[in-house]
Amino acid sequence: MEKKEKHQLLLAMHQMIDTPRLLLRPVTLADATDMYAYASDEETTRFVFPQHQSLEETKLSIATYFIADPLGKFAIQDKSSGKMIGTIDLRVDSAKEIAEIGYTLSRLFWGQGMMPEAVMTLLHFGFDTLDLVRIYALHDVRNQKSGRVMEKTGMKIEATIPSARSVRGQVVDEVMRGITKDEWMKRVM
């Protein structure tokens, strides 16, 4: 079996992952109202994607991004309320045996350790189940909260990329943070 096929099979077999407070599961159209609640909030979306202007836009995003290609893309569901409070992705590059993590969390849940819990879960899955050699993430240099999540989960600054992209007409720098399997193993031992 080729690496890509193996990774796809493992991702398909692990579409639901439990953590102490969260359930990582596939995103469905039934999540549209919960997603719109945070995707339409300017503060939540400021550094990650354009603010959604309608529930229909959220449904389209779910259909074209999450449902059309679901492997490695998870809704973050708060177990205590049953609400979908964000999303997290593990975008695997099987040829290089690496992955990128990306995430968004409703600001109503910031500062409660929810995102570090979700990221740690996907790091564990990526290294221990998928046998990846490195996992990384990017954040807008101005988004210190996202950088702090990455720092808490063991990701170290690897580079600052000047003029990495344009966001709402403004050119921004991005910070790349990552962790290798060797670093992960030392951290969890």
Side-chain angles (χ1 to χ4, degrees):
M1 183 182 313
E2 290 185 28
K3 288 178 199 171
K4 183 174 183 176
E5 291 169 339
K6 179 184 173 194
H7 287 152
Q8 288 178 329
L9 178 59
L10 289 168
L11 286 164
M13 291 169 60
H14 296 89
Q15 291 186 60
M16 297 187 67
I17 303 172
D18 262 315
T19 78
R21 297 180 294 165
L22 307 171
L23 174 62
L24 305 184
R25 58 160 178 81
V27 179
T28 71
L29 284 174
D31 295 314
T33 301
D34 286 345
M35 183 183 282
Y36 180 68
Y38 69 79
S40 62
D41 176 52
E42 185 177 3
E43 184 67 16
T44 296
T45 64
R46 183 167 61 153
F47 299 114
V48 285
F49 57 81
Q51 181 180 357
H52 289 195
Q53 300 302 310
S54 68
L55 184 58
E56 286 305 309
E57 182 180 354
T58 301
K59 288 178 182 177
L60 182 62
S61 174
I62 290 171
T64 59
Y65 183 74
F66 294 99
I67 295 175
D69 184 19
L71 296 182
K73 298 172 184 171
F74 301 91
I76 301 170
Q77 182 175 319
D78 174 38
K79 285 181 179 177
S80 66
S81 69
K83 286 204 167 287
M84 188 266 225
I85 61 172
T87 59
I88 188 165
D89 306 1
L90 186 67
R91 299 182 284 269
V92 177
D93 181 336
S94 295
K96 296 178 182 175
E97 298 184 47
I98 63 172
E100 178 181 2
I101 287 183
Y103 49 80
T104 304
L105 183 69
S106 167
R107 75 177 157 121
L108 300 176
F109 294 87
W110 291 357
Q112 299 175 36
M114 299 274 196
M115 192 51 72
E117 185 174 320
V119 170
M120 287 295 286
T121 299
L122 286 192
L123 290 174
H124 175 75
F125 176 70
F127 290 126
D128 299 344
T129 302
L130 299 178
D131 199 27
L132 300 173
V133 298
R134 179 174 163 270
I135 299 174
Y136 70 96
L138 298 165
H139 70 86
D140 185 312
V141 73
R142 301 166 299 165
N143 190 352
Q144 294 178 1
K145 289 178 180 165
S146 187
R148 184 72 183 119
V149 167
M150 294 172 201
E151 184 182 328
K152 285 179 182 179
T153 59
M155 293 184 173
K156 297 177 185 168
I157 294 176
E158 297 176 337
T160 299
I161 305 159
S163 301
R165 61 187 170 109
S166 178
V167 178
R168 297 180 177 105
Q170 182 178 8
V171 177
V172 299
D173 299 343
E174 283 189 325
V175 176
M176 178 183 284
R177 294 177 184 254
I179 184 169
T180 66
K181 184 169 189 166
D182 289 343
E183 292 166 337
W184 170 258
M185 295 304 290
K186 289 175 189 166
R187 185 177 171 89
V188 295
M189 291 300 195

